[in-house]
Amino acid sequence: MPFASLGLSPALVDAAAASGFTAPTPVQVAAIPVVLKGQDLLACAQTGSGKTAAFALPLLQMLQTEAQQRNTQVLVLVPTRELASQVGEVIILLAQRMAHPIKVAVVYGGVSINPQMMRLRGGADVVVATPGRLLDLVQHNALRLGQVQHLVLDEADRLLDLGFAEELQAVLDLLPERRQNLFFSATFAPPVQALAHSLLREPVRVDIAPTEQTQPDIAQRAIAVDAPRRTQLLKHLVEQHQWSRVLVFVATQYAAEHIAEKLYKAGIYASPFHGGLSQGARTQVLQEFKDERWQVVVTTDLAARGIDIAQLPAVVNYDLPRSTDDYTHRIGRTGRAGESGVAVSFVTAESEAHFRLIEKRQNLSLPRETVAGFEPTEPPVQDKGEGNGGIKGKRPSKKDKLRAAAALAAGTTGTAGTPKD
Ligand code: AMP
C-alpha cells in the first residue's frame, strides 16, 4: 500500500519518500487515517515500528490546512532529551517540502534554557518537549499552551516510569479541553491504562502485534570469555566482522571512558557516551556516530532506550545489564526498521549465573560460544546464593524458592541461578 492511499498530500508523500520511506509500516497504515479524521488514538506499537512518522505525517498535514499563527497547535511530550531530539529531527525532515514552512521547537532539560527561549520567540507551530522543561518555559512566559489542538504522548509508559506523572498532570491542566489526543506506549501496565483512560475520548485502539515486518531480526549470541580479555575480544570481533558501527554497553561511566580510550589507542575509532558528558558533547557524539565518524560508541544504559540509529548492525554487552528490561532495551538498539542485527553478550565466570537469570526471564537458552584465542580459563564462580543472580528489582519467585529448598535438601547448591530446566 502506498503512502498516498492513506490520504496524505503529495508534499508529505514526497517527504516520506525522501526519508527512504517507500511504503508505510503497519502502525502507519493503521494510525494515519485515524489521526487525519481528528480522532483520539491509543496505539500499542513496538519500538522501531515507525511510530514517529505515524503521528508526524498526519499532524503535519493537518497543520498545512490550519492557519499558521505560530501558536503551538501540536505538542509532543516525550520522556527523554534524546527522544526529543530524535522526534524533532523526524518532524523537521518530514516538514521540509510543505508549502507553508512549519516551525518546530525541541525543548528539554539539562541544558541552558536561554537558547530554547530564543527559539520560541515569535512562537512555534510544533513543540516537542520533556515535561519539566516545558513547565519551566511556560513559567518564563516563553510559550503558551492554550491553543494546543493535538497532543501526543510518546512512550507514555516511560514518561510514567521516569516519574513524570505530576509534571504531566500540570501540563495537561494548561491545555484546552477540546483537543485531539494521541497516546503511544509499548506497554500497558495499570498506571498507563489509567492515564490513557483519563486522557482519551473514544479512542481508536491500534495494536500492532509483532509481525514478520516489525519483529526485530536480532541474532543473540553469548560468548564466554575471561573478564580481563574482553577489550581484546571486542577489538577482535569489530575487526573480524567489520561492523560499520557497534554500540557497546558497560556498567559505569568510568568503564565507558576507559574502554573507549583503549580501543582508540588500538586504532579503532571509539568514543564514550554517558551521562557525565555535557548535553552538547552527547549530542555531538550521537550525531557523529550516525554519520559513521565513530565506529564504536561505548556507553552506559543511558543509550539503551529511545535512541534510534538506523542500520546499527551490532550491540555488545561488554558488562551485562542489571535487569532483564535493560537487556531488552539494549538489544533493541539493533535490528530496527526491518534491518537485521546481532547482539553479543560477553559472559564471564563471574557473570554466568546472572546471565542465566536473564536467559530464564527472556525465555532464552543461548549456547556459550568461545572464540579461538579467547577461550576462558577462569574457574566457574560458585553462585553466592543471592537467589536472583543480582538481578535488579526482581525477587526469586515462589517456584525458585521451592527449587532452591529442594536443591538444598538434596545437598546441592542450586538456587534461582541454576541452569534452565
Ligand atoms: P520509530 O519507531 O518512529 O522510532 O522508527 C523506527 C525507524 O523506522 C526509524 O529509523 C525510521 O526512520 C524508520 N521508518 C519509519 N517509517 C518507515 C517506513 N515507512 N519505511 C521505512 N523505514 C521507516
Side-chain angles (χ1 to χ4, degrees):
M1 175 187 286
F3 269 107
S5 63
L6 297 175
L8 292 171
S9 68
L12 287 165
V13 174
D14 281 356
S19 306
F21 308 168
T22 41
T25 64
V27 68
Q28 291 162 359
V29 170
I32 290 173
V34 175
V35 182
L36 284 175
K37 273 194 221 147
Q39 291 174 287
D40 277 10
L41 177 77
L42 178 59
C44 179
Q46 289 206 315
T47 309
S49 58
K51 287 184 289 163
T52 316
F55 65 78
L57 284 166
L59 289 180
L60 285 170
Q61 169 129 333
M62 290 164 102
L63 283 183
Q64 208 165 31
T65 52
E66 290 161 8
Q68 297 314 297
Q69 290 155 2
R70 303 264 185 266
N71 54 9
T72 310
Q73 288 135 286
V74 174
L75 175 64
V76 184
L77 289 177
V78 296
T80 61
R81 317 161 187 191
E82 276 76 21
L83 189 61
S85 305
Q86 205 168 285
V87 168
E89 269 173 34
V90 172
I91 300 177
I92 290 168
L93 203 68
L94 293 175
Q96 261 173 3
R97 291 164 193 235
M98 291 178 61
H100 306 290
I102 297 283
K103 184 169 165 196
V104 182
V106 180
V107 298
Y108 44 76
V111 292
S112 163
I113 199 167
N114 293 334
Q116 296 177 357
M117 290 176 68
M118 298 280 279
R119 173 85 188 140
L120 285 166
R121 259 199 205 150
D125 304 300
V126 178
V127 173
V128 182
T130 54
R133 176 52 60 94
L134 183 72
L135 289 170
D136 284 349
L137 286 161
V138 170
Q139 263 164 15
H140 281 82
N141 282 324
L143 91 158
R144 294 205 185 95
L145 300 176
Q147 305 289 321
V148 170
Q149 291 172 28
H150 314 273
L151 170 72
V152 181
L153 288 197
D154 195 8
E155 301 203 358
D157 47 353
R158 291 186 53 215
L159 275 164
L160 294 184
D161 276 355
L162 293 175
F164 281 126
E166 263 177 42
E167 280 104 335
L168 203 56
Q169 195 51 54
V171 173
L172 295 177
D173 291 344
L174 297 171
L175 302 181
E177 281 274 305
R178 264 177 67 89
R179 56 171 199 263
Q180 182 181 34
N181 299 291
L182 310 178
F183 193 102
F184 289 82
S185 193
T187 56
F188 279 90
V192 185
Q193 283 175 28
L195 177 64
H197 185 72
S198 71
L199 199 71
L200 300 168
R201 272 166 234 169
E202 297 173 30
V204 175
R205 180 158 181 150
V206 167
D207 275 284
I208 300 299
T211 61
E212 280 295 306
Q213 210 183 341
T214 55
Q215 181 73 56
D217 176 12
I218 304 170
Q220 298 179 59
R221 297 175 55 191
I223 301 183
V225 59
D226 288 342
R229 304 220 54 212
R230 286 173 295 173
T231 307
Q232 278 306 316
L233 175 60
L234 178 60
K235 178 173 177 287
H236 173 80
L237 293 176
V238 169
E239 288 169 350
Q240 182 190 33
H241 295 287
Q242 305 222 315
W243 290 318
S244 56
R245 276 174 304 174
V246 194
L247 195 57
V248 177
F249 287 99
V250 294
T252 61
Q253 296 182 2
Y254 172 78
E257 291 284 342
H258 183 65
I259 294 159
E261 189 183 330
K262 270 188 158 176
L263 290 173
Y264 193 83
K265 284 188 176 151
I268 289 178
Y269 282 103
S271 170
F273 178 83
H274 54 72
L277 301 176
S278 71
Q279 183 59 34
R282 280 157 60 174
T283 308
Q284 188 178 347
V285 172
L286 271 191
Q287 191 54 51
E288 289 173 350
F289 193 39
K290 287 182 186 178
D291 296 342
E292 299 198 12
R293 289 168 62 193
W294 296 114
Q295 188 179 11
V296 178
V297 163
V298 189
T299 182
T300 56
D301 278 301
L302 174 69
R305 293 171 181 237
I307 287 179
D308 176 45
I309 298 152
Q311 292 165 354
L312 180 60
V315 164
V316 174
N317 288 317
Y318 183 106
D319 288 319
L320 294 181
R322 288 190 64 205
S323 77
T324 13
D325 278 356
D326 287 337
Y327 181 82
T328 309
H329 286 293
R330 284 181 178 191
I331 71 168
R333 299 304 102 209
T334 182
R336 289 165 73 78
E339 300 287 331
S340 61
V342 60
V344 178
S345 296
F346 288 170
V347 183
T348 63
E350 180 85 33
S351 67
E352 171 62 37
H354 184 61
F355 194 65
R356 283 206 296 261
L357 255 293
I358 292 177
E359 284 182 299
K360 186 172 163 188
R361 298 223 161 97
Q362 295 272 325
N363 233 350
L364 266 181
S365 179
L366 300 178
R368 302 292 182 267
E369 300 171 35
T370 53
V371 174
F374 296 91
E375 293 84 354
T377 59
E378 290 173 340
V381 172
Q382 285 285 327
D383 192 338
K384 294 194 196 92
E386 283 170 353
N388 68 352
I391 210 155
K392 192 175 87 179
K394 304 272 189 212
R395 298 201 187 142
S397 67
K398 213 166 164 187
K399 209 164 124 199
D400 289 334
K401 283 183 189 159
L402 285 174
R403 226 184 264 142
L408 212 64
T412 68
T413 55
T415 68
T418 48
K420 285 164 70 66
D421 45 20

Short mmCIF file of all heavy atoms in Angstrom, two decimals, residues 230-262:
data_model
loop_
_atom_site.label_atom_id
_atom_site.label_comp_id
_atom_site.label_asym_id
_atom_site.label_seq_id
_atom_site.Cartn_x
_atom_site.Cartn_y
_atom_site.Cartn_z
N ARG A 230 38.21 -9.02 27.75
CA ARG A 230 37.05 -8.57 26.99
C ARG A 230 37.38 -7.46 25.97
O ARG A 230 36.85 -7.45 24.87
CB ARG A 230 35.94 -8.10 27.94
CG ARG A 230 35.23 -9.24 28.63
CD ARG A 230 34.26 -8.74 29.66
NE ARG A 230 34.97 -8.05 30.74
CZ ARG A 230 34.37 -7.40 31.72
NH1 ARG A 230 33.06 -7.33 31.77
NH2 ARG A 230 35.08 -6.81 32.67
N THR A 231 38.27 -6.53 26.35
CA THR A 231 38.56 -5.44 25.42
C THR A 231 39.25 -5.99 24.17
O THR A 231 38.91 -5.59 23.04
CB THR A 231 39.43 -4.35 26.10
OG1 THR A 231 38.77 -3.97 27.30
CG2 THR A 231 39.60 -3.14 25.22
N GLN A 232 40.17 -6.92 24.39
CA GLN A 232 40.86 -7.54 23.24
C GLN A 232 39.86 -8.30 22.36
O GLN A 232 39.92 -8.23 21.13
CB GLN A 232 41.93 -8.53 23.75
CG GLN A 232 43.23 -7.87 24.15
CD GLN A 232 43.81 -7.02 23.02
OE1 GLN A 232 43.83 -7.42 21.88
NE2 GLN A 232 44.24 -5.81 23.36
N LEU A 233 38.95 -9.02 23.01
CA LEU A 233 37.94 -9.77 22.25
C LEU A 233 37.06 -8.81 21.46
O LEU A 233 36.74 -9.06 20.29
CB LEU A 233 37.10 -10.63 23.20
CG LEU A 233 35.93 -11.38 22.56
CD1 LEU A 233 36.41 -12.35 21.48
CD2 LEU A 233 35.12 -12.15 23.61
N LEU A 234 36.70 -7.71 22.10
CA LEU A 234 35.86 -6.72 21.42
C LEU A 234 36.57 -6.21 20.16
O LEU A 234 35.98 -6.15 19.07
CB LEU A 234 35.57 -5.57 22.39
CG LEU A 234 34.75 -4.41 21.86
CD1 LEU A 234 33.38 -4.87 21.40
CD2 LEU A 234 34.59 -3.34 22.95
N LYS A 235 37.83 -5.88 20.32
CA LYS A 235 38.62 -5.38 19.19
C LYS A 235 38.64 -6.45 18.08
O LYS A 235 38.40 -6.14 16.91
CB LYS A 235 40.04 -5.05 19.67
CG LYS A 235 40.96 -4.58 18.59
CD LYS A 235 42.29 -4.13 19.20
CE LYS A 235 43.29 -3.72 18.14
NZ LYS A 235 43.87 -4.83 17.39
N HIS A 236 38.87 -7.68 18.49
CA HIS A 236 38.93 -8.78 17.54
C HIS A 236 37.61 -8.90 16.77
O HIS A 236 37.59 -9.02 15.53
CB HIS A 236 39.24 -10.08 18.31
CG HIS A 236 39.16 -11.32 17.48
ND1 HIS A 236 40.18 -11.71 16.65
CD2 HIS A 236 38.17 -12.25 17.35
CE1 HIS A 236 39.82 -12.84 16.04
NE2 HIS A 236 38.60 -13.18 16.45
N LEU A 237 36.48 -8.83 17.50
CA LEU A 237 35.17 -9.01 16.84
C LEU A 237 34.88 -7.86 15.88
O LEU A 237 34.36 -8.06 14.78
CB LEU A 237 34.06 -9.11 17.89
CG LEU A 237 34.07 -10.35 18.78
CD1 LEU A 237 32.97 -10.26 19.84
CD2 LEU A 237 33.88 -11.63 17.96
N VAL A 238 35.22 -6.64 16.33
CA VAL A 238 34.97 -5.47 15.48
C VAL A 238 35.74 -5.62 14.17
O VAL A 238 35.20 -5.38 13.08
CB VAL A 238 35.38 -4.16 16.20
CG1 VAL A 238 35.37 -2.97 15.25
CG2 VAL A 238 34.47 -3.89 17.39
N GLU A 239 36.98 -6.08 14.29
CA GLU A 239 37.80 -6.22 13.08
C GLU A 239 37.34 -7.41 12.24
O GLU A 239 37.21 -7.31 11.02
CB GLU A 239 39.27 -6.38 13.48
CG GLU A 239 39.82 -5.06 13.99
CD GLU A 239 41.19 -5.17 14.64
OE1 GLU A 239 41.66 -6.31 14.88
OE2 GLU A 239 41.77 -4.12 14.94
N GLN A 240 37.04 -8.52 12.91
CA GLN A 240 36.67 -9.73 12.18
C GLN A 240 35.36 -9.53 11.40
O GLN A 240 35.26 -9.90 10.24
CB GLN A 240 36.49 -10.88 13.19
CG GLN A 240 36.15 -12.20 12.53
CD GLN A 240 35.74 -13.24 13.57
OE1 GLN A 240 35.13 -12.93 14.60
NE2 GLN A 240 36.07 -14.48 13.29
N HIS A 241 34.37 -8.93 12.06
CA HIS A 241 33.06 -8.80 11.40
C HIS A 241 32.95 -7.53 10.57
O HIS A 241 31.98 -7.35 9.85
CB HIS A 241 31.94 -8.82 12.44
CG HIS A 241 31.83 -10.12 13.16
ND1 HIS A 241 31.32 -11.25 12.56
CD2 HIS A 241 32.19 -10.49 14.41
CE1 HIS A 241 31.36 -12.26 13.43
NE2 HIS A 241 31.90 -11.82 14.55
N GLN A 242 33.93 -6.66 10.72
CA GLN A 242 33.92 -5.39 10.00
C GLN A 242 32.58 -4.66 10.18
O GLN A 242 32.01 -4.16 9.22
CB GLN A 242 34.19 -5.63 8.51
CG GLN A 242 35.47 -6.39 8.30
CD GLN A 242 36.27 -5.85 7.14
OE1 GLN A 242 35.71 -5.58 6.07
NE2 GLN A 242 37.55 -5.66 7.34
N TRP A 243 32.06 -4.70 11.42
CA TRP A 243 30.83 -3.97 11.70
C TRP A 243 31.08 -2.49 11.41
O TRP A 243 32.08 -1.93 11.87
CB TRP A 243 30.43 -4.13 13.16
CG TRP A 243 29.95 -5.50 13.53
CD1 TRP A 243 29.12 -6.31 12.80
CD2 TRP A 243 30.25 -6.23 14.73
NE1 TRP A 243 28.88 -7.47 13.47
CE2 TRP A 243 29.56 -7.46 14.66
CE3 TRP A 243 31.02 -5.96 15.85
CZ2 TRP A 243 29.61 -8.42 15.66
CZ3 TRP A 243 31.08 -6.90 16.86
CH2 TRP A 243 30.38 -8.12 16.75
N SER A 244 30.15 -1.88 10.71
CA SER A 244 30.36 -0.46 10.41
C SER A 244 30.19 0.37 11.68
O SER A 244 30.83 1.39 11.87
CB SER A 244 29.39 0.02 9.35
OG SER A 244 28.08 -0.25 9.76
N ARG A 245 29.27 -0.08 12.56
CA ARG A 245 29.05 0.62 13.82
C ARG A 245 28.65 -0.36 14.91
O ARG A 245 27.87 -1.28 14.66
CB ARG A 245 27.94 1.67 13.67
CG ARG A 245 28.49 2.95 13.12
CD ARG A 245 27.42 3.92 12.84
NE ARG A 245 26.45 3.36 11.94
CZ ARG A 245 25.32 3.97 11.61
NH1 ARG A 245 25.05 5.14 12.12
NH2 ARG A 245 24.48 3.42 10.78
N VAL A 246 29.15 -0.14 16.09
CA VAL A 246 28.84 -1.01 17.22
C VAL A 246 28.55 -0.15 18.44
O VAL A 246 29.31 0.77 18.75
CB VAL A 246 30.05 -1.91 17.59
CG1 VAL A 246 29.60 -3.03 18.52
CG2 VAL A 246 30.74 -2.45 16.39
N LEU A 247 27.47 -0.49 19.12
CA LEU A 247 27.17 0.16 20.39
C LEU A 247 27.55 -0.84 21.49
O LEU A 247 27.05 -1.96 21.51
CB LEU A 247 25.68 0.48 20.44
CG LEU A 247 25.18 1.45 21.50
CD1 LEU A 247 25.89 2.80 21.40
CD2 LEU A 247 23.67 1.65 21.36
N VAL A 248 28.47 -0.42 22.37
CA VAL A 248 28.98 -1.32 23.41
C VAL A 248 28.49 -0.83 24.76
O VAL A 248 28.69 0.34 25.12
CB VAL A 248 30.53 -1.33 23.38
CG1 VAL A 248 31.07 -2.20 24.51
CG2 VAL A 248 31.04 -1.81 22.03
N PHE A 249 27.83 -1.71 25.52
CA PHE A 249 27.30 -1.32 26.82
C PHE A 249 28.22 -1.78 27.95
O PHE A 249 28.63 -2.95 27.98
CB PHE A 249 25.91 -1.92 27.03
CG PHE A 249 24.86 -1.24 26.22
CD1 PHE A 249 24.43 -1.79 25.01
CD2 PHE A 249 24.31 -0.04 26.63
CE1 PHE A 249 23.46 -1.16 24.26
CE2 PHE A 249 23.34 0.61 25.87
CZ PHE A 249 22.92 0.05 24.68
N VAL A 250 28.50 -0.85 28.85
CA VAL A 250 29.32 -1.17 30.02
C VAL A 250 28.58 -0.69 31.27
O VAL A 250 27.56 -0.01 31.16
CB VAL A 250 30.71 -0.50 29.93
CG1 VAL A 250 31.52 -1.09 28.80
CG2 VAL A 250 30.58 1.01 29.80
N ALA A 251 29.16 -1.04 32.45
CA ALA A 251 28.41 -0.79 33.68
C ALA A 251 28.58 0.62 34.23
O ALA A 251 27.70 1.13 34.92
CB ALA A 251 28.83 -1.81 34.74
N THR A 252 29.71 1.27 33.94
CA THR A 252 29.96 2.57 34.59
C THR A 252 30.48 3.60 33.58
O THR A 252 31.00 3.23 32.52
CB THR A 252 31.04 2.44 35.69
OG1 THR A 252 32.26 2.00 35.06
CG2 THR A 252 30.63 1.45 36.77
N GLN A 253 30.37 4.85 33.97
CA GLN A 253 30.91 5.93 33.13
C GLN A 253 32.43 5.76 32.98
O GLN A 253 32.99 5.98 31.91
CB GLN A 253 30.61 7.29 33.74
CG GLN A 253 29.12 7.59 33.80
CD GLN A 253 28.81 8.96 34.36
OE1 GLN A 253 29.70 9.74 34.68
NE2 GLN A 253 27.53 9.28 34.46
N TYR A 254 33.05 5.35 34.10
CA TYR A 254 34.50 5.18 34.06
C TYR A 254 34.87 4.12 33.01
O TYR A 254 35.78 4.32 32.20
CB TYR A 254 35.02 4.77 35.45
CG TYR A 254 36.47 4.39 35.42
CD1 TYR A 254 37.47 5.37 35.37
CD2 TYR A 254 36.86 3.05 35.37
CE1 TYR A 254 38.81 5.02 35.29
CE2 TYR A 254 38.20 2.69 35.30
CZ TYR A 254 39.16 3.68 35.26
OH TYR A 254 40.48 3.34 35.16
N ALA A 255 34.13 3.00 33.04
CA ALA A 255 34.43 1.93 32.08
C ALA A 255 34.22 2.44 30.64
O ALA A 255 35.00 2.10 29.74
CB ALA A 255 33.56 0.71 32.36
N ALA A 256 33.20 3.23 30.43
CA ALA A 256 32.94 3.75 29.08
C ALA A 256 34.15 4.56 28.60
O ALA A 256 34.64 4.38 27.47
CB ALA A 256 31.67 4.62 29.08
N GLU A 257 34.65 5.42 29.48
CA GLU A 257 35.82 6.25 29.13
C GLU A 257 37.04 5.36 28.86
O GLU A 257 37.74 5.51 27.87
CB GLU A 257 36.16 7.20 30.29
CG GLU A 257 35.16 8.31 30.52
CD GLU A 257 35.27 9.44 29.49
OE1 GLU A 257 36.31 9.52 28.82
OE2 GLU A 257 34.29 10.19 29.34
N HIS A 258 37.27 4.45 29.81
CA HIS A 258 38.47 3.65 29.81
C HIS A 258 38.53 2.74 28.57
O HIS A 258 39.55 2.67 27.88
CB HIS A 258 38.45 2.83 31.10
CG HIS A 258 39.66 1.99 31.31
ND1 HIS A 258 40.91 2.53 31.51
CD2 HIS A 258 39.81 0.65 31.35
CE1 HIS A 258 41.77 1.55 31.65
NE2 HIS A 258 41.14 0.40 31.55
N ILE A 259 37.44 2.07 28.28
CA ILE A 259 37.43 1.11 27.17
C ILE A 259 37.48 1.84 25.83
O ILE A 259 38.20 1.43 24.91
CB ILE A 259 36.20 0.18 27.28
CG1 ILE A 259 36.36 -0.68 28.55
CG2 ILE A 259 36.06 -0.72 26.06
CD1 ILE A 259 35.09 -1.24 29.07
N ALA A 260 36.75 2.95 25.75
CA ALA A 260 36.81 3.73 24.50
C ALA A 260 38.24 4.19 24.24
O ALA A 260 38.74 4.12 23.11
CB ALA A 260 35.86 4.93 24.59
N GLU A 261 38.92 4.61 25.30
CA GLU A 261 40.28 5.10 25.13
C GLU A 261 41.22 3.97 24.69
O GLU A 261 42.04 4.14 23.78
CB GLU A 261 40.77 5.69 26.46
CG GLU A 261 42.10 6.41 26.31
CD GLU A 261 42.61 6.94 27.64
OE1 GLU A 261 41.80 7.26 28.51
OE2 GLU A 261 43.84 7.00 27.78
N LYS A 262 41.04 2.79 25.30
CA LYS A 262 41.89 1.65 24.94
C LYS A 262 41.69 1.28 23.47
O LYS A 262 42.65 1.02 22.74
CB LYS A 262 41.53 0.45 25.81
CG LYS A 262 42.32 0.36 27.08
CD LYS A 262 42.01 -0.96 27.72
CE LYS A 262 43.07 -1.43 28.67
NZ LYS A 262 42.65 -2.67 29.32
#
